[in-house]
Amino acid sequence: MSSSLKSLMMLSCAASALFLTSAANAQATPDTSAAAPDNGYGDIIVTAQKRSERLRDVPMSITAATGDELRSRGIASTDDLGKLVTGFTAARTGTGMPVYFIRGVGFFDTTLGVSPAVTVYMDQVPLPYSPMSRGATLDLARVEVLKGPQGTLFGQNSTGGAINYIAAKPTDQFDAGFELTAGRFRQVDAEGYISGPIGEGLTARVAVRNEYRDEWQYNYVNGEKNGKRRFLNGRALLDWQISDGAKLSLSASGWKDRSEAQQEQFVAFTPLVPVSAGGRPAAFPFPTFPPAPNNNRAAAFDPGGDLRQDTHFYQFSARGDFDLTDAVTLTSLTSYAKFKSFIPIDQDGTIYPMASTLISGNIRSFSQELRLAGTSGPVQWMIGGNYQNDTVKELFDSDVITSGAGFPGGTFLWNGFKMNNDQKVRTYSGFGSLDYALSDTLKLQGSVRYSKQDRDFSGCARDDGTGQIAAAFSFLASFASGIPQVIPPGGCATLNDAFIVAPNNTGTLNEDNLSWRGSINYKPNDTTLLYASITKGYKSGSFPTLPASNTAQIRPVKQESIQAYEAGVKTSLLDRAVDLDGAVFYYDYSDKQLQGYVALPIFGNLPSLVSIPKSRVWGTEANALIRPVKGLSINAGITYINSKVQSDPSNPKGPYATPTQNDSFIGQSFPFSPKWQSVVDAQYQFPISETVDFFVGASVSSRSSTKGTLLSGRPAVAPLEAKLSIPGYSLVDGRIGVTSNDGIWRVELWGRNIFDKFYVTNANRGNDTTYRFTGMPATYGVTFKYRFGG
């Protein structure tokens, strides 16, 4: 990092101390475990460092919000957190998998078994694969979004950050409530919970939510509809206070999704290879197929198809806290999770049966953490270890008719194939942290984690049972190798570099690393914190799920790493009427993982995972919580991110390149990394009678343009780059209603994207088409909430 940039960071941090932001970005509510509230405002208590602390005392950038605020802002899933967290971006892959980015750091891959760069937790228990997080927002006390590498306490694969959901806990008195919502597209959502004591030292809480909605997408060619939501979610918690120094908490949660998968919009016909007399002829009139209009609801898909998914998830976890002495506590976290998916995708975005895939898979994940934590004078310490054992099985069953699905001259053609990716992943780690208070105002913090991961892979592209691919690749392997070879129907058709066929392809990826973090924190008074930190974090390597003609396409990509520098400030002014905080950051990024293309003999350029040896990210963020008058609260946040590729992968030279063309990514910004993001939310609540309050609120979330993939800078690619852009946009939500001033009941009229803004969440290329996914259109409705007891 240059000295001029370091100077800029320090100057920016000093300026932040005067007027920048509040990473809370949340409306605080009193917490019984907090210190006495200042001027009537409560503190949000977070567990970002695996202990309870006031948000404004934690030396890192965190966005936290209560469960009530999440519901009020219309945040129903992790994908919606961009309405709350600046610097957060969510996207869906062409196979429907969610991908999350924080400060431009994320990994866009279609593979079910890929480790994400932004990890999700429920009460510190990992949801290690992003699709598992769909039901995490049920019945929450709060959410904490930690920005920057979090590998020392939350484990590897957190180079972008970590999202920790905190479930509402069982109460020692009877408490129950329900919430009913009716909205556009015949939406009917119902949620309820019941909580209270069930025996001596035993308390329990059960929450259930059902989401129902009719179709919201329409086929702009034939008028058919898609987009039904059928989602059921539940959680049961049991707390057992065994003794004054021993507590056991058990959790069982699960969800089932029978919704129709969102379908992509057709942007343009962009064939993999030119369609000519010497290649495979176009089976349908794709070049004249009309692109989708700029309408969130428009899509095109095969007529009469069943697009319902069948996906479910369940998890059991146990947490035990045992006071070994007055100053030392032993904590155990155990969990077992199972995920199973079946997702149909029409991958061409047209009404023609050119490309469709059924994606099925299952994951089994077991994790165990043990840690000791204690205090001795000015020292707080923690030491522990983790073990995680995951089994992932994934199968793509694809029907394709593309310009690339055959050999030149059309001698051998095929209309379908299968891809399987089976992985066994074992991770071992040990970690520790140490906080040392040099004085009442100055503290040093350090943490470290050693991780070792062994990943075994088995998979390939297979004949679909018709024998078409088997015949084609038997001929090719025999001709190119000079050795007669026969692939049976349904057999593996992925060839190695010597054009030899194996019954299956296997591989191993064994890696280890040492993550660490150090910070210095200065607290001149109870309302101000200044900090500076240096962090090293890692994300593990990965095997892709790809239609691999050659084993080079399914070779693993190695682990990536980030060395992050951050400086920030948190402060409160005017007797807590204003909470501010801000940060500046710089990331040295090594071996960034992404999907690219590999140049192969005979086959040309085919998709593969690659690494960018060197890149960087720097930026700044600011948030403020302002309470100018009683009843009025204003949350505002803004983030600037400047990402840059500094070197090219050694192979390939670039997507869609031929070996004779010199392409480069150098100087480009990362995909899904808008330079500017901002969120403003305001609400005013005032009494209209002795028992009833009126409230009105609105929020605006904005972001600048970005792109869905890296492209080379050569002129021939420029038209395609325009098609793969993701324009900037602003969304406006609103709410108005009445509530009892004791919080017993609430009626709210709400609207999301109330101006029906057209916006794109992902643009990419698959097979012979360029496609995009859109966000939701304008929705509106009414929510009634009632609470008993408590």
Side-chain angles (χ1 to χ4, degrees):
M1 182 169 54
S2 68
S3 58
S4 60
L5 185 53
K6 289 180 181 178
S7 300
L8 175 61
M9 291 180 65
M10 294 303 103
L11 288 172
S12 298
C13 185
S16 298
L18 298 178
F19 56 87
L20 293 182
T21 98
S22 158
N25 218 15
Q27 192 169 330
T29 55
D31 191 302
T32 56
S33 62
D38 299 325
N39 199 25
Y41 303 120
D43 285 303
I44 289 184
I45 304 302
V46 297
T47 53
Q49 299 186 109
K50 293 197 172 179
R51 59 175 180 254
S52 295
E53 300 172 282
R54 297 187 306 179
L55 176 63
R56 53 190 170 130
D57 292 337
V58 181
M60 66 179 69
S61 182
I62 306 172
T63 298
T66 65
D68 286 340
E69 185 178 4
L70 294 177
R71 286 189 291 270
S72 182
R73 292 201 189 188
I75 298 174
S77 70
T78 303
D79 293 14
D80 298 327
L81 284 176
K83 295 182 178 182
L84 173 75
V85 184
T86 60
F88 176 89
T89 304
R92 292 272 167 173
T93 70
T95 58
M97 297 298 168
V99 184
Y100 306 129
F101 301 79
I102 295 179
R103 293 177 173 174
V105 180
F107 182 36
F108 188 91
D109 187 23
T110 60
T111 305
L112 178 64
V114 67
S115 298
V118 176
T119 49
V120 180
Y121 298 81
M122 172 58 68
D123 288 324
Q124 302 181 26
V125 173
L127 299 171
Y129 300 92
S130 295
M132 293 179 169
S133 66
R134 172 64 179 89
T137 55
L138 171 69
D139 193 33
L140 292 179
R142 66 182 183 276
V143 64
E144 305 166 6
V145 181
L146 287 59
K147 301 180 181 180
Q150 304 296 326
T152 56
L153 294 183
F154 281 94
Q156 67 172 354
N157 305 321
S158 300
T159 45
I163 301 168
N164 192 21
Y165 290 104
I166 311 299
K169 298 299 186 291
T171 53
D172 55 11
Q173 295 181 342
F174 173 76
D175 188 17
F178 67 87
E179 184 178 293
L180 297 175
T181 294
R184 191 183 183 193
F185 306 116
R186 298 180 64 186
Q187 175 185 352
V188 179
D189 296 344
E191 179 177 338
Y193 74 92
I194 184 169
S195 176
I198 59 174
E200 184 66 28
L202 290 173
T203 56
R205 187 181 186 103
V206 177
V208 179
R209 180 177 177 85
N210 186 69
E211 301 175 10
Y212 175 97
R213 185 187 62 212
D214 278 347
E215 304 92 338
W216 66 275
Q217 285 188 302
Y218 71 90
N219 192 319
Y220 61 91
V221 177
N222 59 23
E224 290 188 6
K225 294 183 178 181
N226 177 66
K228 291 180 181 178
R229 179 192 290 170
R230 304 290 188 267
F231 186 79
L232 180 64
N233 194 8
R235 181 188 300 124
L237 302 174
L238 178 67
D239 284 355
W240 179 22
Q241 191 69 49
I242 303 171
S243 65
D244 290 342
K247 181 179 180 180
L248 181 64
S249 299
L250 304 177
S251 172
S253 61
W255 51 262
K256 184 176 181 64
D257 195 349
R258 289 283 290 160
S259 305
E260 292 175 331
Q262 181 181 352
Q263 300 303 299
E264 60 199 37
Q265 289 190 344
F266 177 80
V267 175
F269 178 58
T270 50
L272 293 168
V273 297
V275 178
S276 64
R280 184 168 189 172
F284 304 105
F286 296 115
T288 60
F289 190 80
N294 289 343
N295 185 313
N296 291 315
R297 299 183 60 194
F301 38 89
D302 297 350
D306 186 354
L307 297 174
R308 289 177 300 169
Q309 59 181 305
D310 187 2
T311 302
H312 65 259
F313 166 81
Y314 63 80
Q315 184 176 51
F316 301 100
S317 66
R319 172 171 177 160
D321 293 284
F322 308 96
D323 294 338
L324 304 183
T325 69
D326 291 341
V328 178
T329 299
L330 171 66
T331 298
S332 171
L333 285 170
T334 308
S335 76
Y336 174 79
K338 183 178 179 180
F339 172 87
K340 188 173 183 179
S341 66
F342 179 87
I343 305 174
I345 299 290
D346 186 342
Q347 291 186 292
D348 55 75
T350 73
I351 61 172
Y352 308 124
M354 181 179 76
S356 61
T357 299
L358 293 176
I359 305 166
S360 58
N362 63 76
I363 303 172
R364 288 181 171 87
S365 178
F366 170 81
S367 69
Q368 173 64 54
E369 175 178 313
L370 284 173
R371 65 178 188 255
L372 284 169
T375 302
S376 178
V379 175
Q380 290 180 292
W381 57 270
M382 183 186 300
I383 188 170
N386 287 87
Y387 171 72
Q388 186 168 313
N389 190 317
D390 300 339
T391 300
V392 184
K393 295 183 179 294
E394 182 178 27
L395 176 66
F396 280 32
D397 189 350
S398 298
D399 294 318
V400 295
I401 301 176
T402 75
S403 61
F407 297 146
T411 304
F412 293 101
L413 302 175
W414 58 84
N415 296 332
F417 60 89
K418 296 178 184 289
M419 298 175 289
N420 71 289
N421 184 332
D422 300 336
Q423 296 188 53
K424 181 76 172 179
V425 187
R426 296 167 301 280
T427 307
Y428 315 83
S429 64
F431 62 90
S433 68
L434 187 69
D435 297 7
Y436 183 70
L438 297 176
S439 68
D440 292 340
T441 60
L442 190 63
K443 178 184 287 188
L444 300 178
Q445 290 185 311
S447 55
V448 65
R449 175 186 293 258
Y450 172 78
S451 295
K452 183 180 187 302
Q453 184 175 96
D454 299 329
R455 186 181 291 259
D456 298 328
F457 163 82
S458 173
C460 65
R462 296 181 173 277
D463 182 87
D464 64 355
T466 64
Q468 293 177 333
I469 284 184
F473 277 77
S474 294
F475 170 82
L476 174 63
S478 301
F479 175 80
S481 68
I483 302 172
Q485 299 178 65
V486 178
I487 301 172
C492 178
T494 301
L495 312 180
N496 65 19
D497 292 339
F499 294 94
I500 302 298
V501 179
N504 201 8
N505 290 280
T506 61
T508 60
L509 183 63
N510 299 329
E511 298 177 312
D512 64 348
N513 56 68
L514 187 69
S515 302
W516 50 267
R517 182 177 188 272
S519 72
I520 182 169
N521 317 319
Y522 177 58
K523 197 168 175 50
N525 54 59
D526 189 56
T527 61
T528 301
L529 170 69
L530 293 94
Y531 66 90
S533 66
I534 304 176
T535 308
K536 184 75 170 183
Y538 291 85
K539 179 200 167 304
S540 65
S542 181
F543 287 90
T545 304
L546 292 170
S549 301
N550 186 282
T551 54
Q553 293 177 258
I554 51 177
R555 289 172 184 155
V557 65
K558 64 181 180 181
Q559 65 186 356
E560 66 179 28
S561 67
I562 286 180
Q563 186 153 316
Y565 305 84
E566 181 170 329
V569 59
K570 302 182 180 185
T571 189
S572 299
L573 306 172
L574 305 175
D575 294 328
R576 293 290 309 278
V578 179
D579 287 341
L580 303 168
D581 81 49
V584 290
F585 52 89
Y586 182 94
Y587 295 167
D588 278 324
Y589 208 155
S590 298
D591 301 314
K592 176 178 172 58
Q593 303 168 357
L594 80 158
Q595 281 196 351
Y597 280 67
V598 60
L600 298 171
I602 298 181
F603 299 109
N605 297 302
L606 294 178
S608 176
L609 290 181
V610 297
S611 295
I612 294 179
K614 187 68 175 175
S615 52
R616 59 96 175 127
V617 183
W618 68 269
T620 185
E621 60 188 24
N623 301 276
L625 171 58
I626 306 170
R627 312 173 186 90
V629 296
K630 184 178 180 180
L632 176 61
S633 63
I634 302 170
N635 283 273
I638 187 168
T639 296
Y640 173 78
I641 300 170
N642 188 303
S643 60
K644 185 177 182 180
V645 174
Q646 295 177 305
S647 64
D648 284 319
S650 57
N651 190 10
K653 292 183 172 66
Y656 319 121
T658 65
T660 60
Q661 291 172 308
N662 294 321
D663 302 301
S664 178
F665 298 150
I666 294 176
Q668 291 196 47
S669 59
F670 296 169
F672 304 102
S673 179
K675 282 193 172 183
W676 291 99
Q677 290 178 258
S678 65
V679 175
V680 178
D681 182 87
Q683 177 164 307
Y684 183 43
Q685 181 169 324
F686 58 91
I688 56 175
S689 73
E690 291 184 358
T691 59
V692 178
D693 289 353
F694 176 85
F695 65 89
V696 59
S699 64
V700 181
S701 56
S702 304
R703 62 187 57 194
S704 60
S705 63
T706 183
K707 54 193 172 186
T709 188
L710 287 177
L711 284 175
S712 65
R714 59 191 172 92
V717 178
L720 183 59
E721 187 166 14
K723 293 180 176 66
L724 293 172
S725 66
I726 301 175
Y729 58 86
S730 295
L731 303 178
V732 180
D733 297 346
R735 56 190 181 271
I736 187 172
V738 291
T739 179
S740 63
N741 55 27
D742 57 6
I744 295 297
W745 59 267
R746 179 185 179 95
V747 179
E748 178 179 311
L749 299 173
W750 51 264
R752 322 285 186 220
N753 188 14
I754 58 178
F755 296 113
D756 203 20
K757 174 69 175 178
F758 170 75
Y759 64 106
V760 176
T761 59
N762 181 20
N764 221 304
R765 183 184 181 182
N767 299 314
D768 282 338
T769 61
T770 297
Y771 65 87
R772 66 191 181 195
F773 282 96
T774 64
M776 285 293 294
T779 55
Y780 42 80
V782 59
T783 297
F784 173 67
K785 179 180 177 182
Y786 193 86
R787 180 181 177 188
F788 306 89

